[in-house]
Amino acid sequence: MHSTFQRIRGMLRILMSFFHDVRLFVIDSLRVRATAKDFAAYRAMSHYPGYLKSGAAIEAVRPLARKYCRGKGVDVGASRWPLEGARAIDDGPDENAYRIHEADGCLDFLFSSHTLEHLDRPWDALGEWTRVLRPGGILMLYLPHPACEMWTTENLPFHKWNPDPLTVEDELKNRFGYTILAITYLPDAFFSFVVVAEKKQALP
């Protein structure tokens, strides 16, 4: 009797898996179709695996974030996947990437994954992020790599610019005075790159 029940349950799971396949295909397909503005964009997006289109890119760098992002901090653009231990900040009318409700120099870290590319004024946002970090505080950015055609402004209208490792590194060092602790120049499995920077220490 038990073995018969197990076989029936197994068959039901197999049948349900076909519905899961259909659901997954339809969801991914509709997401791509709704986002692509023309055939070139649709073709570019179709070349990349589905997991890149489902959000939660933070999972690729969460272990690294645990190493650097300690103490009091915020996750700007967290959406449904905030970094543990960080206060989530999304695009609200009162608080957002350009206006953070924290005093000057009070945060130990600021983390942000796949947010800066959505901003019309990324350097203004970085100025605000720098303001709330204490001297020696950590800024950790995870950004789409320009090698991924799917994420360029030509194919995604809600991406306002195309970050690249060298430009971000140069701006952080020369405009904001950060020390770069870690940076990846090549795309990872999420076709993204990471920058970990330390805010300049206060002069004695």
Side-chain angles (χ1 to χ4, degrees), residues 38-107:
D38 53 30
F39 175 72
Y42 179 76
R43 181 175 59 185
M45 296 180 71
S46 297
H47 290 166
Y48 293 94
Y51 68 83
L52 291 180
K53 306 155 194 170
S54 302
I58 184 179
E59 299 306 330
V61 292
R62 199 180 287 276
L64 188 65
R66 292 193 190 104
K67 174 181 178 180
Y68 287 104
C69 299
R70 299 179 178 180
K72 179 184 178 181
V74 295
D75 181 346
V76 179
S79 187
R80 303 192 305 273
W81 307 279
L83 178 68
E84 56 268 27
R87 184 172 69 84
I89 298 175
D90 285 309
D91 188 20
D94 298 319
E95 187 175 37
N96 49 58
Y98 300 108
R99 182 168 55 180
I100 296 175
H101 293 169
E102 298 286 352
D104 294 358
C106 72
L107 297 182

Side-chain angles (χ1 to χ4, degrees), residues 21-33:
D21 287 339
V22 172
R23 179 185 176 189
L24 186 62
F25 172 78
V26 169
I27 289 175
D28 281 352
S29 178
L30 290 178
R31 184 181 291 115
V32 170
R33 293 171 191 273

Side-chain angles (χ1 to χ4, degrees), residues 48 52-53 57-58 60-61 76 112-119 122 129 140-153 156 158-168 183-195:
Y48 293 94
L52 291 180
K53 306 155 194 170
I58 184 179
V61 292
V76 179
S112 183
S113 172
H114 282 246
T115 296
L116 204 62
E117 71 275 12
H118 292 269
L119 304 180
W129 301 0
M140 182 170 178
L141 305 176
Y142 192 48
L143 299 165
H145 196 281
C148 181
E149 290 181 282
M150 183 185 80
W151 281 330
T152 62
T153 55
L156 279 187
F158 48 82
H159 280 190
K160 304 304 182 182
W161 65 295
N162 300 322
D164 71 86
L166 291 176
T167 297
V168 174
I183 184 169
T184 53
Y185 297 100
L186 300 179
D188 63 10
F190 272 80
F191 285 87
S192 301
F193 67 97
V194 65
V195 183

Side-chain angles (χ1 to χ4, degrees), residues 131-142:
R131 178 189 69 80
V132 298
L133 280 174
R134 64 168 175 80
I138 295 296
L139 174 69
M140 182 170 178
L141 305 176
Y142 192 48

